[in-house]
Each structure stands twice: as structure tokens, then as C-alpha cells.
Amino acid sequence: MRALMHRHRALCERAVDPLEIAAGLEAHGVTDRTAARFRHRDVFSLAEELYARVPRDGDRRPPPEPEPAPPVRADRVLLTLLPGAVCAAAVTAVRLTEGRPRLLAAAVGVLAVALAVRPVLRRGPLAAPARTPAWRAATGTRAFTCWLLAYALLGDGLLRAVVDGGPDGLPTGAADGPWPVATAPVLALTLACAPAAWSTHLFTAGARRRLAASRGLEEFTGAVQPLLLGTFALFLGALTALLALCGAALGEPVGYPAGLTLGALLLLARLLAVHNVPQGPALAVAAATEAAAPALVLAGRLPGCAFLAAPVDALADAWGTGAVPALGCGAAALALLLRATRTLTRAPAHAPTGDPA
């Protein structure tokens, strides 16, 4: 016990209640099995003894008020609206031009949207903590995210053209071209940056309040789990409305399953990144599933390889080409949701940063 007290003395000295110590211990890998070696039933019981035995300055101070949530700043609210506004301007420019000017407008629009999204992910509720992942992992995440968004824009039209024996030409930027382009889901996803940031802010602020008010790890988990699922459902509701609005405004059919599953996947991946939780291979699996579908159909044209295209052809005939991204992103989003309910509902995910290891 003395060795444990010495190792976590800094954590215990500045803790304001046993729950903060318990969160820090779990973040450092201390489990209920470890606590049993010290004759305690769980980590929280062990934290209570450490809280009682380690002296602190002002030991009799009253419990602090719950940590206030970061204030909602007008500049950050406008920042979350910027990607959607820029994407709407780019879509308008593409629709009002033809030929080479359309290609130029599309290229400039993609660059402008990327620049508009960047500050949203660096400041505010969607910003990752200082302890960012390794450069290679971060680069892979960005690459897979770009692929998923590119497929939402071009992939469904490409797969439909490949299944029908094409493609007969390059995309022209029109929804009725030989390689149809779906702008409605991408516009809806960029507009959804705002509800994603607001949902993340609601979850983070609510979890902090419950961390300060809870007096046990199980109590905290029981309070945060419905909060997580509620904010997730709130975002999906907002995204559904945006998909319907963009589809009506642009006169395009909206693939709700594909759009909703992609939005859910991106939100959960970012929510885990904000709380410094590894995402695993979910984005890579979804991207690989989307890339494999047209590749298998093209490979099926080789002599004796028709069986390779059979699964994709059967899926497209039964539910349409939009079923491919819906299944790929849906399975990955479900895996991330299960991971989030296991990790983001535990106190260590919301413990103060900077604890000594």
C-alpha cells in the first residue's frame, strides 16, 4: 500500500474526492483485480483508502462545485457553420458552370471545404487533446476519412456504372451524367459539422457534471451511458433532417442508410479521438469494403472470374448500390458505438489530464 501511495501521491494530494482518484487509477491500469491484492473489493474502495491516508493541503475544504462547461462562444458557433456554407457555395458554383470551368469550380470547392473543416477540428468541442496519436495513425485516419467522403460523392455512381457495364466516361459533375455525382449527402455532412460539435459539447459538459456529482464508478457509468446514447440519437436526428433538406433543395435522391451510417461513423470516430481513445481499424474496414465492391465487379469481367462479382451484383439487385456503403459504414459505426459505450462511460475517459503515470 505504501508503494501505491508513493506512486500516485501527486494524484492523491490534489484529488478533491475519491472518485477523482479512482478515475486516475483506472487510467493508469489499476483494475478491480489489482485492488483485490490490497484487500479491497474494487478500485473505488481502494481510492477511498488512498484519499483518507494521503494528506492534502486544506484537507477539510468543502467539495468543489461541478466543473463548469466551456462557454459557448459565438465565433466557434459560426466556425462550425462555415464548412456547410462553403460547401453550399461550391455546389452552387458547380451547378452553374459547364465544361472546364465546372472542373475548376469543383477543385477549388474541395480545397475550400477542406480548409474550412480544418479549424473546426482544431478548436472547440471537436478538437483532439494535446496527446494526439502518432503521426502515421493520424495520417491514416485522415486518408480513410477522405476516401469515405469521396465515395459518398462519387462511389455510388461509379458502382452503378460498373454494375451496368461501364463506366462510359469520366464524371461531369452532373447527377444525370454517365458517372452520376451525389452532392446531397456530402453537403448534408458538411452542414452536420455544427450539430456534431454541439452534440459533442453537450456530452462533454454533461459528463463533467456527472463526474463531479457521482460518488462511485458504477453510479457515474449509469448516468453517462444514457447521456451518450441520447446525444448520439440527437445528432442522427439532425443529420436526417439535413439529408432531407439537401435532397429536396438539390433535387437528388437521398440514400438515407448510407448517409446516416457514414455520419454516425465519422461522429463516433471523432468523439473517441476527442477523449483520446483509440478507434481501432473501423475506418479502414469501412473504406476497404467500399473499395472492394467496384474492384470485385471489374475483376469479375476477367475470364473464369465471374464468381467474384456475384456477391456485389446480388447485393445491388436486392437493395441497390447504396447498400454497399451502408453495410460497410454501418458495421464500422456499430463497432465504434460499442467501443464508445465501454470507454466513454468510464471515469478515466473524463479524468483531468496530466496525471502522473
Side-chain angles (χ1 to χ4, degrees), residues 77-177:
V77 171
L78 294 176
L79 198 65
T80 62
L81 298 173
L82 183 61
V86 172
C87 187
V91 171
T92 302
V94 168
R95 292 204 158 202
L96 294 178
T97 53
E98 296 288 344
R100 183 165 296 181
R102 170 177 284 179
L103 295 178
L104 180 61
V108 172
V110 169
L111 179 61
V113 171
L115 293 176
V117 171
R118 187 179 180 88
V120 176
L121 302 181
R122 288 181 172 268
R123 292 189 293 273
L126 295 177
R131 296 177 295 176
T132 53
W135 176 85
R136 183 176 297 178
T139 302
T141 299
R142 286 193 292 268
F144 293 135
T145 301
C146 290
W147 171 268
L148 293 172
L149 292 174
Y151 191 94
L153 181 66
L154 300 168
D156 195 39
L158 171 63
L159 183 58
R160 186 180 301 112
V162 169
V163 169
D164 293 339
D168 298 325
L170 294 176
T172 62
D176 55 352

Side-chain angles (χ1 to χ4, degrees), residues 257-288:
L260 288 174
T261 52
L262 176 56
L265 176 61
L266 296 179
L267 174 72
L268 291 168
R270 194 62 195 177
L271 194 60
L272 290 171
V274 166
H275 292 86
N276 208 32
V277 177
Q279 305 162 18
L283 291 176
V285 170

Side-chain angles (χ1 to χ4, degrees), residues 225-272:
Q225 195 166 58
L227 175 65
L228 172 64
L229 297 177
T231 53
F232 179 64
L234 180 65
F235 170 77
L236 289 183
L239 180 57
T240 301
L242 289 173
L243 286 169
L245 179 63
C246 292
L250 298 176
E252 294 182 9
V254 179
Y256 288 99
L260 288 174
T261 52
L262 176 56
L265 176 61
L266 296 179
L267 174 72
L268 291 168
R270 194 62 195 177
L271 194 60
L272 290 171

Side-chain angles (χ1 to χ4, degrees), residues 1-2 4-6 8 11-13 21 25 40 43-56:
M1 179 62 73
R2 289 182 180 275
L4 189 67
M5 290 170 55
H6 177 73
H8 300 287
L11 170 66
C12 298
E13 285 178 346
I21 298 178
L25 291 177
H40 286 276
V43 176
F44 186 71
S45 176
L46 177 61
E48 286 181 326
E49 180 175 349
L50 292 176
Y51 183 78
R53 293 180 62 173
V54 176
R56 289 171 299 279

